[in-house]
Every structure is written in C-alpha cells, then in structure tokens.
Amino acid sequence: MDLRSGDPARSREFYGSLFGWEAHETAPEFNDYVNFSLDGVMAAGMVANDPAIGQPDGWTTYFAATNAVAIARTIVAEGGQVPFGPHPVADIGLMAYAIDLAGAPFGLWQDLTGGREFAQARPGAASYHELHTNRYADVVAFYAKVFGRPVKAVGDTDEFRYSQLMADDATPVAGIMDFSTFAPDVSEWFCYFGSADVDATIEQVERLGGAVLEPAMDTPYGRLATVSDPTGAVFKLTSLPG
C-alpha cells in the first residue's frame, strides 16, 4: 500500500514515531516518492498528494499481479476502470491505478525484481486489507473474476454480510464487507496495521496529532480501532496474536 499525503514531512515524522518506519528517498524522476521500511524490510510507500487532483489524503491498497496488463484488461471488461497504467517504474515493476465497479480505488503492482520482501502481520506492518462497499454481490464477483481467486463467505445476514478473497483454501488475502445498510455512499479500501497493544497505539496516535474515529473494541477477530493521521488519512489497527 502507499499513502497520499498533503504534508509528506509531517507524515514521515508521524509514521516513523508511531510504527518505527525509516524513510528512504527515491530518484527525482519518481516524483519524490518515498519508501518506508521496518527493520530493513519494505513496509509502505508515500507520494505527495497533488491538490489539483482533488483527492483527500489516504491509503491505497495494492494487489500483487503476475500480469498487470492482462488484469487491467479484465478490470475494464468487468465494469471497472483503469485511469492510470499499467506503466513501468524504471526496471523494478509495473504499476496501475484502478477503480472497481462501485467506485473504490485500488492499485496493481507487478514486481520485476524477482520478489521483494514486504513486512506484514507484525507490529507496525500491514496485517489485513478490507473493502467496505455498497454493491456487495457485484463487487465480490468482480474481484473473484479479476484476480481469479476463490471467495469464502464468512457471514450472510443483514447485520454482517462478509466475504474473504483467498490466496488458497486456508489463507485470506482481503475482506469485503457489505456496508449498504450502514453507509450507502461508502465504497473504499482500508488498511489494517498490526499492534501489540491497540490501546497504547491509539494513545500514541493522539499524542502525535492524529485522531480516533472509532474507539478500540474487542471482536472475534481481535481488538480493532479506526484512526487517522495528522493530515486525515484513515487507517485501522488490529491486535496481533500473542
């Protein structure tokens, strides 16, 4: 995933203090893109948010692609859009920016380096990605078709309608939640970051100038919370198994 930030310097300070990320500059031809690492392993990216684009600061979830060009064609064929890419990023990969048929943006990344390691499922690293959508059935079918992955239904009631995109029979890649009865206008991907102590991390978010949007609560999937960074980018926190 990567972050669009209207104040990259402040975002670097916030996430560096909160998660222990180290920022790495890239070459000027990459539009001052910044890579974040956690203990030497890639954790996330960041780009300055251009006010002319008219998008709020926020996080974008990227899906790994073995053939970004073919996937982009399938996205369009299934009713989505690909307003950018796939374009080469030097000789390290192909990147595309897409929008699903309900209006939720996401990215594609085809790695050409032989497979870079990404930090995940540990404190300060991505732990999960979840889509809140107002066109649940259509969107589930869309992602299953686009990525050719199995889909597992977790809940199917008006109170909790939820499916998971699976990497295989046992490993979830991401979740899709029906939000049509809660917020009919919502169609957005959210990133979850792992925390050893969600309540302590929330306190740190506030000390660093962020905000708590949904207080921590215990769920069957761990202790969860929704927060925002100082420029308004929203992300979620999840407890990790002890």
Side-chain angles (χ1 to χ4, degrees):
M1 65 279 177
D2 66 13
L3 173 67
R4 298 181 311 279
S5 174
D7 188 343
R10 191 174 188 190
S11 295
R12 288 172 65 154
E13 181 179 354
F14 174 82
Y15 290 100
S17 298
L18 184 67
F19 293 141
W21 289 356
E22 183 177 352
H24 307 273
E25 304 287 349
T26 61
E29 57 263 33
F30 298 131
N31 297 318
D32 297 320
Y33 194 88
V34 172
N35 288 318
F36 290 113
S37 65
L38 178 62
D39 296 332
V41 181
M42 178 75 80
M46 179 178 66
V47 65
N49 193 6
D50 183 353
I53 297 176
Q55 286 189 320
D57 287 4
W59 285 95
T60 299
T61 290
Y62 282 77
F63 288 86
T66 55
N67 187 332
V69 172
I71 292 176
R73 289 179 183 143
T74 304
I75 289 170
V76 174
E78 294 301 315
Q81 304 171 52
V82 185
F84 176 85
H87 290 308
V89 179
D91 59 353
I92 63 174
L94 292 174
M95 187 186 78
Y97 185 80
I99 302 172
D100 71 23
L101 51 74
F106 63 98
L108 300 176
W109 175 255
Q110 181 179 343
D111 183 72
L112 300 177
T113 67
R116 284 191 296 175
E117 181 184 2
F118 288 85
Q120 55 184 330
R122 54 175 291 190
S127 180
Y128 195 63
H129 297 266
E130 185 175 83
L131 173 64
H132 295 177
T133 184
N134 53 22
R135 292 180 59 184
Y136 175 78
D138 293 339
V139 162
V140 169
F142 171 86
Y143 284 98
K145 181 70 178 231
V146 165
F147 293 111
R149 297 291 186 180
V151 176
K152 177 182 178 182
V154 178
D156 193 21
T157 68
D158 290 341
E159 292 76 24
F160 184 67
R161 187 165 287 112
Y162 197 99
S163 289
Q164 290 180 316
L165 293 174
M166 309 294 289
D168 52 42
D169 290 340
T171 309
V173 174
I176 301 175
M177 185 174 185
D178 182 4
F179 241 62
S180 59
T181 59
F182 308 111
D185 295 331
V186 168
S187 188
E188 183 177 0
W189 279 98
F190 291 94
C191 301
Y192 284 77
F193 293 100
S195 172
D197 185 333
V198 169
D199 296 273
T201 302
I202 286 175
E203 292 178 5
Q204 193 174 10
V205 165
E206 293 183 300
R207 285 198 303 271
L208 293 169
V212 178
L213 305 181
E214 295 177 1
M217 63 180 296
D218 292 318
T219 77
Y221 308 100
R223 191 159 177 79
L224 309 178
T226 304
V227 298
S228 64
D229 70 18
T231 74
V234 177
F235 61 96
K236 293 178 179 284
L237 299 169
T238 180
S239 58
L240 297 173

